[in-house]
Amino acid sequence: WAESAGVEIVCGEHSPSQFRDAKLVVPSPGVAAAVISKFLPDDNPPEIMAETELAWRQLSGEPVLGVTGTSGKTTTTSLCAAMLKEQGLTVFTGGNIGTPLSEYVLSGRKADVLVLEISSFQLQACSTFCPRAGVLLNITPNHLDYHKDMAEYTEAKFRLFRCQDEG
């Protein structure tokens, strides 16, 4: 359906010409924005956006619980989802654990609450993602082959709270 919607999906090696007229780039979470940036034009570069951010912008106000941290994300996400289901709520569990948020959006289903495991890779390219509740379990050195240093890794994790307010 992507082609019929005018979306071009490009895999493999890239070149600057592929990004010349792009308005938005949604890279695979494992591809650092710094890698993509070297292909972008200096004047009027496209926005680089995580799949999570793109899907987040399509939600209809469903409350989101976001879970991040160096370790324990999957266990905590699964436990939170199980507790909410036990209370009789319809729960979507996804993000970095199994099903991407975009699949939920495209499914047309509606859940009472979304419980998302969110990695630093996903958070780094999020700008408006704002879960109703966020959990940061821990931060220890990890993914320093992806992030330029520990400060960048930590900043990515704290993006979970970037758009939240006291409410």
Side-chain angles (χ1 to χ4, degrees), residues 6-21:
V7 175
E8 180 182 2
I9 299 173
V10 179
C11 301
E13 295 293 320
H14 296 295
S15 68
S17 65
Q18 293 170 319
F19 296 94
R20 186 174 301 119
D21 297 320

Side-chain angles (χ1 to χ4, degrees), residues 39-103:
F39 295 108
L40 303 181
D42 292 330
D43 60 323
N44 200 23
E47 181 178 4
I48 299 173
M49 183 186 301
E51 171 273 336
T52 302
E53 174 75 15
L54 180 63
W56 159 258
R57 293 181 184 187
Q58 309 310 310
L59 294 179
S60 303
E62 300 92 324
V64 173
L65 167 59
V67 179
T68 196
T70 301
S71 58
K73 295 182 298 295
T74 301
T75 300
T76 303
T77 299
S78 299
L79 286 171
C80 289
M83 288 187 284
L84 291 164
K85 286 177 185 174
E86 189 63 28
Q87 292 300 307
L89 297 172
T90 302
V91 179
F92 168 79
T93 307
N96 199 50
I97 175 178
T99 308
L101 183 55
S102 58
E103 284 193 33

Side-chain angles (χ1 to χ4, degrees), residues 30-166:
V31 177
V35 171
I36 297 294
S37 294
K38 68 182 180 182
F39 295 108
L40 303 181
D42 292 330
D43 60 323
N44 200 23
E47 181 178 4
I48 299 173
M49 183 186 301
E51 171 273 336
T52 302
E53 174 75 15
L54 180 63
W56 159 258
R57 293 181 184 187
Q58 309 310 310
L59 294 179
S60 303
E62 300 92 324
V64 173
L65 167 59
V67 179
T68 196
T70 301
S71 58
K73 295 182 298 295
T74 301
T75 300
T76 303
T77 299
S78 299
L79 286 171
C80 289
M83 288 187 284
L84 291 164
K85 286 177 185 174
E86 189 63 28
Q87 292 300 307
L89 297 172
T90 302
V91 179
F92 168 79
T93 307
N96 199 50
I97 175 178
T99 308
L101 183 55
S102 58
E103 284 193 33
Y104 167 79
V105 170
L106 292 170
S107 75
R109 296 177 308 177
K110 290 299 173 199
D112 297 318
V113 65
L114 313 179
V115 183
L116 305 177
E117 175 183 319
I118 309 294
S119 73
S120 64
F121 299 174
Q122 293 163 313
L123 286 166
Q124 193 168 28
C126 285
S127 58
T128 67
F129 178 66
C130 186
R132 172 124 4 125
V135 178
L136 173 60
L137 298 169
N138 48 48
I139 300 177
T140 58
N142 201 359
H143 303 301
L144 298 180
D145 56 337
Y146 180 94
H147 297 286
K148 72 178 179 184
D149 54 28
M150 190 62 186
E152 182 182 280
Y153 177 61
T154 300
E155 192 277 330
K157 290 294 188 184
F158 275 95
R159 280 179 166 269
L160 183 68
F161 309 107
R162 177 181 182 177
C163 296
Q164 290 182 322
D165 58 23
E166 291 178 12

